[in-house]
Amino acid sequence: MAQTSILIIYTGGTIGMVKNEKGSLVPFNFAQIYQQIPELQKLHYRIEAISFDPLIDSSDIMPEQWVEMAHIIQNRYEDFDGYVILHGSDTMSYTASALSFILGNLNKPVIITGSQLPLGELRTDGRENFINAIEIAAAKEDETPLVPEVCIYFENKLFRGNRTYKYNAENFKAFVSGNYPLLAESGVYLKFYKENILKPNFKKLKLHTQLDTGVGIIKIFPGMQASFIHSILATKGLRALVLESFGSGNAFSKDWFIDGLQTAIQKGLIIVNVTQCIGGSVEMGKYETSRRLLEIGVVSAKDMTTASALTKLMVILGEEKHNKDIIASFTRPWAGEISE
Ligand code: ASP
């Protein structure tokens, strides 16, 4: 049996910081990964690491970096059994969602992790996150990877990446997946919940890298002004808008609002409806306040997260021209991001 091999891709973020001789935090040198974390040798895997240059705080991550990560995976797809991406937690859910759509026919684990405290701090959560992410990326059954999807591992829990939200800026428990159960948990043992994990399709990896950023998000709130929404709807180059609505997909029924959306839709804008809640689904038509959205052609994103809806639109808009095809593709599950 060949030795299991894992590629670490360090993009930046808190996790990769260690203390130098003077006690200041500096980026970890992944070329010396075994010197920095000697315990890794006990895993008996072949581990290679590459770092982004320059390293990027995840608030500065852009679609170009998602494509870069995807190309690294594609270029080394035959060389490794799994991939661990070290990434700042701030935009981790966006990256995980985007990669789940960019990496078509993914049949290997891509485990994204980070930490709230740097690896160089005594109380770091990074060491546990990092080592478990490697173990999960390496896990196989009958020579087939156990988790062939894009995931986030954080504080003992493995989430489907495109279902997550960062909901806490301080706690080690920083992520939540309101609409999908855990894929695995680590305690004394690593416990995989196989019934929740996507099955491999054994097809050839196919990247979708033509992302179109002509998208936007608007979170409605009581007291929103007509001029505010009108100026957003008039944004040049805007092709699709994620409307973050109340509860099960409701919005104000004011005429200026509904008429404004309707005119924009008639001119070709795609508007998708995502709930502001962390859990639950959009159900347009359940209340009068969402029925009108349905009637004017707003598309339900059902239980998709905002990050998933947004990044999925970027990927689809990059490939499809006609709104009918874009909407058909958007409402179809790609990588377990929407309940069927
Ligand atoms: N600002 C940092 C980042 O997202 C926080 C972290 O690493 O978690 O890159």
Side-chain angles (χ1 to χ4, degrees), residues 12-15 56-59 87-91 114-116 154 166:
T14 302
I15 189 168
I56 305 176
D57 184 288
S58 81
S59 301
H87 193 289
S89 58
D90 290 351
T91 62
S115 66
Q116 297 282 43
F154 228 88
K166 181 174 180 183

Side-chain angles (χ1 to χ4, degrees), residues 211-244:
L211 276 69
D212 184 336
T213 51
V215 294
I217 301 174
I218 184 159
K219 181 172 186 160
I220 59 164
F221 56 91
M224 199 168 84
Q225 302 266 323
S227 56
F228 179 66
I229 182 96
H230 287 151
S231 66
I232 286 180
L233 293 171
T235 307
K236 235 174 124 217
L238 187 68
R239 291 179 68 197
L241 183 69
V242 177
L243 180 79
E244 274 200 3

Side-chain angles (χ1 to χ4, degrees), residues 8 17 22 61 97 119 122 136-137 162 164-165 168 177 235 237 254 259 279 297 303 309-310 320 339:
I8 315 283
M17 307 301 272
K22 294 187 185 125
I61 292 270
S97 304
L119 269 174
L122 201 58
I136 292 165
N162 59 28
T164 59
Y165 281 97
N168 197 301
S177 165
T235 307
K254 304 246 181 305
D259 294 348
D303 62 349
L310 186 88
E320 303 283 358
S339 299

Side-chain angles (χ1 to χ4, degrees), residues 99-106 203-208:
L99 286 179
S100 76
F101 305 122
I102 293 171
L103 296 166
N105 297 329
L106 180 70
K203 290 189 186 160
K204 195 169 181 296
L205 182 73
K206 181 177 182 290
L207 262 47
H208 304 271

Side-chain angles (χ1 to χ4, degrees), residues 9-258:
I9 305 168
Y10 177 41
T11 63
T14 302
I15 189 168
M17 307 301 272
V18 285
K19 285 210 172 109
N20 67 9
E21 318 76 52
K22 294 187 185 125
S24 330
L25 285 168
V26 291
F28 182 101
N29 180 358
F30 278 89
Q32 295 165 354
I33 196 166
Y34 286 108
Q35 274 152 268
Q36 304 268 14
I37 310 184
E39 300 93 299
L40 288 180
Q41 273 155 25
K42 296 194 194 137
L43 295 174
H44 302 296
Y45 304 144
R46 180 172 69 83
I47 299 176
E48 265 184 52
I50 51 174
S51 293
F52 269 32
D53 185 15
L55 295 168
I56 305 176
D57 184 288
S58 81
S59 301
D60 274 324
I61 292 270
M62 293 286 153
E64 295 83 77
Q65 279 84 39
W66 299 335
V67 170
E68 189 177 342
M69 291 175 219
H71 277 143
I72 293 172
I73 292 169
Q74 183 184 45
N75 292 340
R76 312 292 307 271
Y77 201 64
E78 297 313 318
D79 305 337
F80 293 95
D81 297 294
Y83 304 83
V84 171
I85 300 180
L86 300 177
H87 193 289
S89 58
D90 290 351
T91 62
M92 194 179 276
S93 292
Y94 286 91
T95 294
S97 304
L99 286 179
S100 76
F101 305 122
I102 293 171
L103 296 166
N105 297 329
L106 180 70
N107 282 295
K108 294 189 179 186
V110 174
I111 314 299
I112 309 179
T113 194
S115 66
Q116 297 282 43
L117 284 177
L119 269 174
E121 294 278 350
L122 201 58
R123 291 179 50 252
T124 186
D125 51 331
R127 185 169 290 257
E128 191 270 342
N129 286 349
F130 185 36
I131 293 173
N132 275 305
I134 294 175
E135 291 254 51
I136 292 165
K140 287 188 203 168
E141 191 173 68
D142 301 329
E143 284 301 289
T144 308
L146 260 175
V147 195
E149 51 173 302
V150 180
C151 305
I152 288 183
Y153 179 84
F154 228 88
E155 185 63 4
N156 303 327
K157 293 184 170 42
L158 186 71
F159 304 98
R160 174 164 298 158
N162 59 28
R163 292 290 196 151
T164 59
Y165 281 97
K166 181 174 180 183
Y167 83 112
N168 197 301
E170 295 175 3
N171 276 1
F172 288 164
K173 278 196 181 83
F175 287 87
V176 68
S177 165
N179 282 329
Y180 200 77
L182 295 177
L183 306 189
E185 253 172 313
S186 69
V188 175
Y189 301 104
L190 252 178
K191 210 159 146 199
F192 290 93
Y193 303 116
K194 289 186 206 158
E195 64 284 10
N196 301 335
I197 301 174
L198 290 174
K199 303 279 171 288
N201 66 7
F202 302 107
K203 290 189 186 160
K204 195 169 181 296
L205 182 73
K206 181 177 182 290
L207 262 47
H208 304 271
T209 55
Q210 298 304 315
L211 276 69
D212 184 336
T213 51
V215 294
I217 301 174
I218 184 159
K219 181 172 186 160
I220 59 164
F221 56 91
M224 199 168 84
Q225 302 266 323
S227 56
F228 179 66
I229 182 96
H230 287 151
S231 66
I232 286 180
L233 293 171
T235 307
K236 235 174 124 217
L238 187 68
R239 291 179 68 197
L241 183 69
V242 177
L243 180 79
E244 274 200 3
S245 59
F246 305 129
S248 57
N250 307 310
F252 2 91
S253 37
K254 304 246 181 305
D255 284 341
W256 58 260
F257 180 70
I258 300 294

